[in-house]
Each structure stands twice: as structure tokens, then as C-alpha cells.
């Protein structure tokens, strides 16, 4: 048994499984705290490293490509406070960190664990049901359906379509992009046969993220969805047959909503003529309103 206990978290290794428990330090990111303890099988690991610094060091785990739906969904874009596979080590615990590193490396050699990619997820991904509010909406996922609800900050052109429900069987994938600098991030659900280049601000299958505290939690939703989609490296004959997208029933608008929708159409036309909306954005928003009518 090897164990290292730090303010940043506790890592334990029993020869078969690494248990990663986040600490309670204020510098531990919200995503790590929400994930809680992770049980990582040795066969999911490609390597471990320990880097020393003047005041603190860092343990890093490298997973085999395709082993973790969270890493696949986030594409390596998790920042340090939210990355569950990094541990900050105080300088007086460097000896313990080095011992821990050697124990894991020895186990990898003895078990002859390959470092090549895998064709199935070796971690289960976040549990469901799951609901996260951030940016311009709330995303809920029960394992079969994704529900997108909008808030008062949502662009009118997107909110006009109302609450959105997507079946997992209709998805080709999911992507998560954090906000970087002045560029907003997003979580986008890729619907089969419905490609779009519309910005997340106007895409009814996306939630726009502005770099606030709860943004990283959307990565949990992305990982939960990714874990239940066919593995991208699985042989083609092992993947389920694609289902044709089934249109979701739309609620009939109340009679007093009709004039409001007409007014919104006129407003969209003015925004389009003035150059605020591109042709694609205008078409997307107009179609959403016409469906409600």
C-alpha cells in the first residue's frame, strides 16, 4: 500500500487500483470536489510522473487514450484546479511522492500494462441523473435524454424555440470548450444529420459558457453523455446502428403568444438587415420561431 496525503488531496494505491480523493483546500477546483473520489484501475494508466519545484511539486497521471470519457469529452482542456489527475505536493513530502511514483511504475511493469489506446472506456463516467446550470442555460441528463432550458440571459433568437429535449440515440457526439480570455466557451450536443456552424449563442443545441465558477461542471455533463455513446475507437461492427433523428413534439403556443412571435420575426429581420445577424443565424432563429407558430 502506498499513500500520499496533501491539502490538495489524497492518493492511495493498493497494487490494483489508484484512489484519488480531492482535498478540502480552497484551491481545489469545483469540478474535482463534485467528482469526489475516483477509483482508477491500473490497466487504465499509461504512466506517472513527479515534478519538483522550489516550493511545491506535482504528481501527474497519464491515462491511456480513450480510457476516460471525461478526458475524451474535455480534450485535455481541463485547467489545473479542475484536473483530477494532478496532485500538488509540498516540498517536505517529496520523498513520499517519489516512493509513490516508483510503486505505481513497478506495478505497471510487473503487470505489463500497455500504454497504447483502448477501444472501450475503463472508467464509468459521472453518474446520472445530472443537472448543471451555467452560462445561458441549464442542462439535465437522465441517461437517455438531454434537456436544455434557457434563462433570462439567453439570446432571444435561441430562447424563442423554448425548452429543448434531445434523445441520446440521436446524438453523434458532444463537445465541451471552456472560456479562454475574451472567447466564450460552450457545451454543444452534435445531433446526427443536423450539422451547424452557428455560434453557441444562437445554437439551440448548445449552452454558451462565459468563464464563471460553475462552467467546469458542464464537463461532467459532457463526460456522462460521452460515456453512454459508442466509444470512438470501437470497431464499426460493435457500434449500435444509427437511429434516424425523431423530431420532438412542440407545444402549441397560446393564442396571445402569436402576436409576440410575429413581432419577434420582424425584429429578427431588422437585425439581419442591419448586419447584426448573419444569414445562417437569421435562418436558424427564424425557423425556430416558425416551428412554434
Amino acid at each position: 500500500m502506498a499513500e500520499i496525503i496533501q491539502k490538495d488531496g489524497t492518493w492511495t494505491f493498493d497494487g490494483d487500483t489508484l484512489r484519488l480523493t480531492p482535498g478540502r483546500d480552497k484551491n481545489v477546483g469545483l469540478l474535482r470536489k463534485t467528482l469526489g473520489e475516483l477509483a482508477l484501475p491500473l490497466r487504465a494508466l499509461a504512466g506517472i510522473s513527479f515534478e519538483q519545484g522550489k516550493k511545491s511539486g506535482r504528481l501527474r497521471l497519464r491515462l491511456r487514450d480513450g480510457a476516460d470519457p471525461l478526458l475524451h469529452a474535455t480534450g485535455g482542456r481541463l485547467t489545473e484546479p479542475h484536473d483530477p489527475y494532478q496532485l500538488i505536493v509540498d516540498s517536505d513530502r517529496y520523498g513520499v511522492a517519489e516512493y509513490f511514483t516508483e510503486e505505481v511504475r513497478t506495478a505497471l511493469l510487473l503487470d505489463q500494462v500497455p500504454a497504447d489506446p483502448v477501444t472501450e472506456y475503463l472508467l464509468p463516467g459521472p453518474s446520472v441523473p445530472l443537472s448543471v446550470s451555467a452560462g445561458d442555460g441549464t442542462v439535465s441528463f437522465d441517461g437517455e435524454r438531454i434537456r436544455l432550458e434557457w434563462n433570462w440571459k439567453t439570446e432571444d433568437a435561441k430562447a424563442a424555440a423554448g425548452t429543448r429535449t434531445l434523445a441520446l440515440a440521436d446524438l453523434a457526439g458532444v463537445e465541451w470548450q471552456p472560456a479562454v480570455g475574451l472567447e466564450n466557451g460552450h457545451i454543444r450536443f452534435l445531433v446526427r444529420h443536423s450539422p451547424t456552424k452557428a455560434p453557441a449563442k444562437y445554437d439551440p443545441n448548445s449552452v454558451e459558457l462565459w468563464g464563471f465558477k460553475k462552467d467546469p461542471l458542464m464537463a461532467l455533463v459532457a463526460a456522462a453523455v460521452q460515456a453512454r455513446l459508442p466509444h470512438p475507437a470501437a470497431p464499426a461492427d460493435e457500434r449500435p446502428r444509427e437511429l434516424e433523428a425523431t423530431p420532438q413534439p412542440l407545444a402549441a403556443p397560446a393564442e396571445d403568444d402569436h402576436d409576440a412571435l410575429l413581432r419577434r420575426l420582424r425584429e429578427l429581420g431588422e437585425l439581419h438587415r442591419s448586419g447584426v445577424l448573419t444569414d445562417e443565424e437569421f435562418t436558424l432563429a427564424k425557423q425556430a420561431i416558425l416551428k412554434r407558430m
Side-chain angles (χ1 to χ4, degrees):
M1 172 75 74
E3 183 177 62
I4 180 166
I5 303 173
Q6 294 289 275
K7 293 182 294 183
D8 195 40
T10 298
W11 286 12
T12 305
F13 178 55
D14 63 6
D16 296 312
T17 304
L18 289 93
R19 297 192 178 277
L20 317 179
T21 306
R24 297 182 179 180
D25 188 71
K26 63 180 181 180
N27 294 322
V28 177
L30 183 60
L31 176 60
R32 283 179 61 197
K33 291 179 179 178
T34 306
L35 269 174
E37 183 181 275
L38 292 178
L40 182 65
L42 184 65
R43 63 193 181 97
L45 197 62
I48 182 172
S49 64
F50 174 54
E51 306 160 3
Q52 295 187 16
K54 292 183 179 180
K55 295 183 178 180
S56 63
R58 185 170 283 100
L59 277 169
R60 296 180 190 269
L61 295 177
R62 182 167 58 88
L63 273 63
R64 297 170 66 184
D65 289 344
D68 182 16
L70 174 64
L71 291 183
H72 183 83
T74 56
R77 292 183 291 267
L78 286 177
T79 55
E80 180 182 299
H82 304 292
D83 186 348
Y85 303 119
Q86 296 188 39
L87 182 72
I88 297 175
V89 180
D90 294 335
S91 58
D92 61 351
R93 305 298 286 171
Y94 281 0
V96 178
E98 290 173 347
Y99 171 74
F100 189 94
T101 301
E102 287 304 313
E103 285 291 294
V104 175
R105 285 177 176 169
T106 299
L108 289 170
L109 287 173
L110 290 175
D111 286 17
Q112 297 183 339
V113 177
D116 55 340
V118 296
T119 58
E120 62 178 352
Y121 293 120
L122 302 181
L123 279 79
S127 58
V128 294
L130 187 62
S131 183
V132 175
S133 297
D136 66 354
T138 297
V139 181
S140 303
F141 179 50
D142 63 6
E144 295 182 357
R145 291 187 177 276
I146 297 103
R147 181 181 175 88
L148 295 95
E149 300 173 89
W150 314 116
N151 57 37
W152 64 274
K153 295 170 285 188
T154 308
E155 170 64 31
D156 288 348
K158 183 162 69 172
T163 299
R164 184 92 164 146
T165 302
L166 302 171
L168 181 67
D170 293 337
L171 296 187
V174 57
E175 59 183 34
W176 176 83
Q177 174 71 51
V180 179
L182 298 177
E183 293 292 327
N184 291 338
H186 65 262
I187 180 171
R188 188 190 304 271
F189 300 97
L190 308 176
V191 180
R192 289 193 180 102
H193 316 305
S194 298
T196 178
K197 294 182 179 179
K201 183 177 183 178
Y202 302 104
D203 181 9
N205 297 326
S206 301
V207 168
E208 187 179 38
L209 305 175
W210 301 317
F212 296 151
K213 181 179 179 181
K214 290 187 177 181
D215 281 12
L217 294 184
M218 282 295 183
L220 293 180
V221 178
V225 172
Q226 187 67 56
R228 290 159 178 82
L229 291 173
H231 193 284
D237 57 355
E238 293 182 12
R239 300 181 188 178
R241 295 179 61 187
E242 291 191 358
L243 301 177
E244 292 295 322
T246 303
Q248 299 300 316
L250 296 169
E255 291 182 3
D256 56 359
D257 285 343
H258 193 267
D259 289 340
L261 292 176
L262 287 175
R263 285 196 300 272
R264 186 56 188 153
L265 273 177
R266 288 194 291 269
E267 292 171 2
L268 287 173
E270 293 172 1
L271 290 172
H272 181 230
R273 285 191 292 274
S274 62
V276 175
L277 292 179
T278 65
D279 292 346
E280 187 176 41
E281 292 165 351
F282 171 69
T283 301
L284 184 67
K286 182 176 71 173
Q287 288 174 348
I289 292 178
L290 291 176
K291 284 182 180 178
R292 295 197 67 194
M293 294 177 67

